[in-house]
Amino acid sequence: MVDRIGAAWWCACAVGMLVVGACLAGETSEYRRQLGSAVDMPLDADVFRAPPGRNAPQQVHITQGNHDGTAMIISWVTTIEPGSSTVLYGTSEDNLNFSADGKHTQYTFYNYTSGYIHHCTIKKLEFDTKYYYAVGIGQTVRKFWFRTPPKSGPDVPYTFGLIGDLGQSYDSNITLAHYESNSKAQAVLFVGDLCYADNYPYHDNVRWDTWARFVERNVAYQPWIWTAGNHEIDFAPELGETKPFKPYSYRYPTPYKASGSTAPFWYSVKRASAYIIVLASYSSYGKYTPQYKWLEAEFPKVNRSETPWLIVLLHAPWYNSYNYHYMEGESMRVMYEPWFVKYKVDLVFAGHVHAYERTHRISNVAYNIVNGQCTPVHDQSAPVYITIGDGGNQEGLATNMTAPQPGYSAFRESSFGHAILDIKNRTHAYYTWHRNQDGNAVAADSMWFTNRYWQPTDESLDDSQ
């Protein structure tokens, strides 16, 4: 497979050189979506409907439960009474012969009291195995399933979905439906901004409930790897709410302790041939902070012979040519970008800007304030940066771009959509971005990525055109 894919990539590269030569000019898409504010779905929309049955579990969602993928955190909410926090599971739908006990909790936020939030981690799962599970034991039982990832290895194929800034608008529903139509995708890398509850009066936490019921149709069956965005902060001292990330922390656990992290907002997981590092744009990240010290120790732990694809998720983009949230990620870039280049991170996915953009492989590590070298340069040891904060949200699209398009930007478009990263083996992955257009998902940007740890870094091999 390596040789066949490699040959195809070289052919494509040769054709590309004939067309563009040595030029790495960026493209601003000419497609223009009909403009207008993103409109929230009404509270009585079908996608927000609670499941039938007394005290039926709702808002079911799963995420990876340990570092290597042999555990799963299963979460759900009951509303009348706590009920059982036990999960029954097994490899046969009709024979759930294993069980695990979880715990439940509640929180209050201003004048809102949550339902009973259950979390249960099931452990010692087999790799690459379909498991069925049931929650609501003793009352209204609901059954779901998921598949564990294959054991990590350098040539293990795996397909990720990429979604960010989803919200609960009509556009959000279209994005999720389009993602679900990509049947190969096995897990979602989510780059932050879930429900936008903080945009409603008094940070209306009912919107946390409606959003979780909306996305249950997917996240109950495949894990979403969570990144905290600015709309998860929910810091509202005017309401007496002074604990940042309070609703998010109660509802969306992560396996942070498994990677030695001290907080759930930055952590790492392995999944097939990918090593995924999640960073927190809105937690302290300066020198000597817990996040800084963790990341400093984390990069040397990555075994690229086992997991050759090194992917970073964060919320605020470091390279952004829209006039929205411009340079908000700059101080974090200054702190961490030298490590990204040193350890040859392949891809960095961000959200925050409600549009789509992909860069060339670029870095700005030479700049040191006094030397004047403040322009990003093409750097084949650097990652490609992709902004995919285009899930749907409720605030509308970012449409105002800087002009002319900066040299580091390869492709940009103001549209809603999602992306798919299809890892083939240790050297190649195929990436597509799908815009929401006229009710269809249109592959508007696609390319082959070559892994910089396993491939030469000669400029002639630039794959970010």
Side-chain angles (χ1 to χ4, degrees):
M1 177 180 278
V2 175
D3 291 340
R4 185 161 62 250
I5 292 175
W9 178 81
W10 276 111
C11 290
C13 189
V15 172
M17 288 182 177
L18 289 174
V19 175
V20 300
C23 178
L24 293 176
E27 176 186 352
T28 297
S29 171
E30 295 182 357
Y31 174 75
R32 292 293 179 268
R33 179 183 183 272
Q34 184 176 352
L35 298 180
S37 299
V39 178
D40 275 340
M41 293 179 285
L43 287 173
D44 61 356
D46 288 348
V47 297
F48 297 149
R49 188 172 297 163
R54 186 183 187 280
N55 209 37
Q58 58 173 266
Q59 307 177 43
V60 182
H61 55 273
I62 63 175
T63 194
Q64 186 160 317
N66 65 356
H67 198 249
D68 69 2
T70 57
M72 195 73 77
I73 303 172
I74 298 173
S75 305
W76 69 96
V77 173
T78 53
T79 57
I80 298 174
E81 60 191 28
S84 172
S85 294
T86 297
V87 174
L88 301 181
Y89 64 100
T91 55
S92 169
E93 187 174 11
D94 299 320
N95 189 15
L96 305 179
N97 53 351
F98 299 100
S99 67
D101 295 324
K103 297 180 179 180
H104 73 270
T105 186
Q106 278 186 296
Y107 75 91
T108 59
F109 191 97
Y110 187 51
N111 60 359
Y112 168 92
T113 300
S114 74
Y116 302 96
I117 303 170
H118 303 256
H119 301 299
C120 180
T121 302
I122 57 178
K123 304 175 181 178
K124 297 181 180 179
L125 304 175
E126 298 293 327
F127 287 113
D128 200 17
T129 301
K130 187 173 184 178
Y131 284 92
Y132 298 86
Y133 69 96
V135 294
I137 309 306
Q139 293 184 320
T140 300
V141 176
R142 299 185 68 202
K143 293 183 179 181
F144 306 88
W145 58 265
F146 62 84
R147 180 173 289 278
T148 53
K151 186 177 181 180
S152 292
D155 294 309
V156 177
Y158 200 79
T159 305
F160 292 101
L162 280 304
I163 300 175
D165 300 66
L166 186 57
Q168 42 197 306
S169 69
Y170 287 102
D171 292 292
S172 312
N173 196 26
I174 293 171
T175 295
L176 187 57
H178 287 170
Y179 169 68
E180 291 170 318
S181 71
N182 271 305
S183 58
K184 287 184 63 178
Q186 298 160 278
V188 169
L189 305 180
F190 192 89
V191 294
D193 283 0
L194 284 68
C195 70
Y196 290 80
D198 64 335
N199 274 6
Y200 298 89
Y202 308 109
H203 291 233
D204 185 1
N205 271 228
V206 169
R207 286 294 182 170
W208 280 99
D209 295 318
T210 55
W211 189 84
R213 291 197 292 268
F214 158 51
V215 298
E216 180 192 85
R217 71 198 204 208
N218 185 267
V219 72
Y221 297 92
Q222 58 177 236
W224 288 27
I225 308 302
W226 300 109
T227 308
N230 58 297
H231 285 281
E232 279 69 76
I233 298 173
D234 275 308
F235 178 72
E238 71 280 7
L239 303 178
E241 296 294 345
T242 57
K243 181 180 179 181
F245 303 102
K246 184 178 180 180
Y248 173 77
S249 298
Y250 272 90
R251 293 170 180 269
Y252 293 95
T254 64
Y256 68 98
K257 292 180 181 178
S259 57
S261 171
T262 55
F265 314 115
W266 60 89
Y267 61 99
S268 69
V269 294
K270 295 190 298 184
R271 200 160 186 87
S273 51
Y275 199 103
I276 300 155
I277 292 176
V278 179
L279 296 181
S281 297
Y282 304 99
S283 299
S284 298
Y285 50 74
K287 202 166 187 179
Y288 309 123
T289 61
Q291 184 170 196
Y292 180 98
K293 297 298 290 183
W294 175 82
L295 186 60
E296 183 179 37
E298 181 69 9
F299 272 126
K301 295 178 182 177
V302 182
N303 179 1
R304 302 296 282 273
S305 296
E306 179 191 37
T307 50
W309 292 92
L310 181 52
I311 299 168
V312 174
L313 311 180
L314 45 82
H315 187 65
W318 293 359
Y319 291 96
N320 164 33
S321 68
Y322 290 82
N323 291 317
Y324 302 83
H325 305 304
Y326 187 65
M327 293 187 74
E328 286 184 20
E330 181 65 6
S331 58
M332 186 182 233
R333 182 198 67 77
V334 170
M335 296 298 302
Y336 293 162
E337 188 180 27
W339 289 341
F340 283 31
V341 176
K342 176 181 177 180
Y343 292 101
K344 295 184 177 177
V345 172
D346 294 291
L347 292 156
V348 179
F349 291 100
H352 203 34
V353 177
H354 296 161
Y356 174 75
E357 185 166 22
R358 172 176 56 84
T359 73
H360 299 291
R361 292 190 182 275
I362 42 90
S363 71
N364 199 10
V365 295
Y367 180 49
N368 66 6
I369 298 180
V370 297
N371 63 11
Q373 298 178 31
C374 56
T375 301
V377 298
H378 291 279
D379 183 342
Q380 292 305 298
S381 292
V384 170
Y385 294 86
I386 294 175
T387 299
I388 190 160
D390 55 0
N393 65 80
Q394 64 150 204
E395 298 169 333
L397 286 167
T399 57
N400 191 334
M401 307 175 186
T402 60
Q405 185 173 3
Y408 63 74
S409 176
F411 182 88
R412 59 185 185 176
E413 179 176 306
S414 295
S415 296
F416 292 127
H418 74 280
I420 299 292
L421 178 65
D422 189 4
I423 296 174
K424 303 296 186 181
N425 52 41
R426 76 186 68 190
T427 58
H428 289 83
Y430 188 64
Y431 169 83
T432 49
W433 173 67
H434 303 258
R435 81 158 72 99
N436 299 343
Q437 178 180 341
D438 300 326
N440 299 310
V442 177
D445 184 34
S446 61
M447 61 174 296
W448 283 98
F449 283 111
T450 55
N451 185 288
R452 281 310 186 248
Y453 183 83
W454 289 98
Q455 290 286 353
T457 57
D458 188 279
E459 290 289 338
S460 65
L461 300 186
D462 183 21
D463 59 358
S464 58
Q465 299 178 35

